[in-house]
Structure formats: structure tokens, C-alpha cells
Amino acid sequence: MTISAETIRTVVGIIGNGTALVLFFSPLPTFRRIWKSRSVEQFPAAPYLATLMNCLLWVLYGLPLVHPHSMLVITINGCGLVIELSYVVIYLCFSNRRQRLQVLGVLFLEIAFVAVIAILVLTLFHTHGQRSLVVGVLCVIFGTVMYAAPLSVMKEVIKTKSVEFMPFSLSLASFINGACWTAYALIRFDLFITIPNGLGVAFAVAQLLLHIIYHKSTVRQIEERKKLENGIAKPNGNHEADLELGTKTNGVKNGSS
């Protein structure tokens, strides 16, 4: 019994949808932390805004009027749209005024841009091939932006030698999701899906390498910060000097009593 390429593609697509859901839900620990601390701390909004924009465009691409027979594409990106919008709303609730205005501005521009594109594509182009080409090119561009959004975080990781604000779950989910959708696109070749997801695999591998390189230094920095917060170490961070000073002080007190 032979299995057709289309059946394999459908199975891979379903697996891709599953990994995409994992990718969409992977920031939950980050937003649980934001909710508890009532602050967005140093977490950037860029990855969530970029993913939201990407989902908007892929929903448009998957519409029957644009690219028929794309139910797997439209369903997962519709789910992603709701999830990412929820993250953005939480981010807005716990960000400062300047951050809130920036995020609201970008969100408004994204929605307006996709609305204009949808109107122009559906009115100016009259075949599925033309509509798929225009929206597909935009999906490639913004899909690449979505996967490249963590580059600013990666720069900060290298600078601080800490991966604390680049969650491992998000990096791993990005890799698995990109690999599945790349395979899906290659079975029945779809250039518009292949390019952004292939680049996504490359960016995700780079993030995972940074986790390997800076894992130990991250743990060390978190432990040192906890000591400072608990008052064990002084603000200068020189814990050994503080202990030595404390020993000498106790010796002076004992000698004078």
C-alpha cells in the first residue's frame, strides 16, 4: 500500500499545526512572570507584534478568495492571531506609558496595513494566482521579520552573557515549528512557505546555540542577583570581600568586649 505525497503533506501539516500551537503557547511562562511582577521588565514586545502581523497576513493568504485549499494554514494562524493578541493586551496592561504608546502605535499600523492590502488585493487582482503571489510575497517578508525579531534579544544576550530574557521554550518551539512547515512546503513545493520557515530554522538554531553557550553564566547571574535581593551580598557584588569584611568586623567586636 502506497501513501500519496498529498497524504504525507497533510500529516506533516497537522504536525506543523501542533508544533505551531506549542510555539504560540511557549511565551506563557514569560507572561506568567509579567503578571506576577506587574511589570514587563526587560522583555521586548517586538516578537509578539511580529508574530501577530505574520498571523494576520497568513490568514489573508489562506482565504479561499486568495489561495484555495489552505484550511490548515488559515486555522492555525487564526488561533495564533487570538493568542498573540492576548499577549499584546497583557503587555499593554503592565508596560509604562512610553512602551504602551509604542505598542499601540505599531498594533494600529499592522491592522491598518493588512486591511488596506486585503482591499487592494481583492479589488485589483482577479485570479487566485495573482492574489496568492502578492500576499505570498508579503508573507515571506513579514514571516522573515517574525523569525528575525529575536535578533535584538540575541544581541542583548551576547552583550550581557545571559539568556534570561530569551526563553528556551520559545527558541525550541521555533526550531521544531520551522522544521515541520519547511518539510510541509517542500513536499508540494510552496516557495512562500519554504523561505520564511527555512530562515526560521536557521535563526532558531542560532538561539539554541546561545542557550548552550550562556546557560552557566545565566544561572550564575541569577544566583548573584538573588543574593543581593536577600541582603547577603552588598551592592558592589563582591561577595568574597563582603564575607572577609564581616569576619574582621566580628573579630574587632569580640576583642573589644
Side-chain angles (χ1 to χ4, degrees):
M1 177 179 175
T2 58
I3 301 175
S4 66
E6 191 60 33
T7 301
I8 296 173
R9 189 172 189 261
T10 301
V11 172
V12 173
I14 292 171
I15 296 172
N17 275 359
T19 59
L21 276 176
V22 173
L23 176 62
F24 290 139
F25 283 119
S26 60
L28 280 177
T30 297
F31 282 90
R32 189 181 298 114
R33 172 171 170 171
I34 289 173
W35 186 277
K36 286 183 178 180
S37 65
R38 295 291 191 269
S39 170
V40 297
E41 301 179 46
Q42 298 178 46
F43 291 107
Y48 314 109
L49 289 168
T51 306
L52 178 64
M53 179 66 169
N54 188 60
C55 289
L56 281 168
L57 284 169
W58 280 112
V59 167
L60 178 59
Y61 180 84
L63 291 176
L65 290 173
V66 178
H67 194 80
H69 313 298
S70 301
M71 186 56 64
L72 287 173
V73 174
I74 196 170
T75 51
I76 189 58
N77 284 285
C79 292
L81 182 61
V82 174
I83 295 168
E84 296 300 324
L85 189 58
S86 301
Y87 292 150
V88 172
V89 170
I90 294 173
Y91 196 96
L92 288 170
C93 291
F94 298 112
S95 55
N96 58 44
R97 186 175 182 275
R98 181 180 61 81
Q99 292 170 321
R100 192 174 296 118
L101 289 175
Q102 288 177 342
V103 172
L104 282 173
V106 173
L107 182 61
F108 173 78
L109 288 175
E110 288 183 350
I111 295 173
F113 177 78
V114 175
V116 170
I117 292 300
I119 293 170
L120 291 177
V121 166
L122 295 176
T123 55
L124 297 180
F125 301 96
H126 305 293
T127 67
H128 292 142
Q130 291 173 334
R131 292 170 178 174
S132 297
L133 176 62
V134 174
V135 180
V137 169
L138 291 173
C139 286
V140 168
I141 294 171
F142 286 97
T144 303
V145 170
M146 180 192 76
Y147 282 118
L151 284 176
S152 59
V153 183
M154 292 167 66
K155 180 182 177 182
E156 192 66 20
V157 166
I158 296 171
K159 181 180 177 181
T160 61
K161 293 181 171 54
S162 172
V163 292
E164 182 178 3
F165 295 100
M166 188 177 73
F168 176 78
S169 58
L170 185 58
S171 300
L172 181 61
S174 294
F175 171 76
I176 298 173
N177 180 66
C180 285
W181 281 106
T182 300
Y184 173 86
L186 290 175
I187 293 173
R188 193 179 71 189
F189 190 67
D190 188 324
L191 183 66
F192 301 130
I193 297 178
T194 302
I195 293 176
N197 285 287
L199 289 172
V201 172
F203 287 131
V205 168
Q207 292 173 45
L208 292 172
L209 287 175
L210 288 178
H211 276 281
I212 294 172
I213 294 169
Y214 295 118
H215 173 72
K216 290 184 179 179
S217 62
T218 303
V219 173
R220 185 168 61 250
Q221 289 182 40
I222 293 174
E223 289 176 349
E224 289 175 355
R225 186 171 66 247
K226 286 180 178 179
K227 289 177 182 178
L228 285 172
E229 291 172 352
N230 293 331
I232 296 176
K234 291 186 177 181
N236 60 16
N238 192 339
H239 185 50
E240 293 180 1
D242 293 339
L243 288 175
E244 184 179 352
L245 180 60
T247 303
K248 291 180 178 178
T249 303
N250 288 335
V252 171
K253 288 182 179 180
N254 291 335
S256 61
S257 59

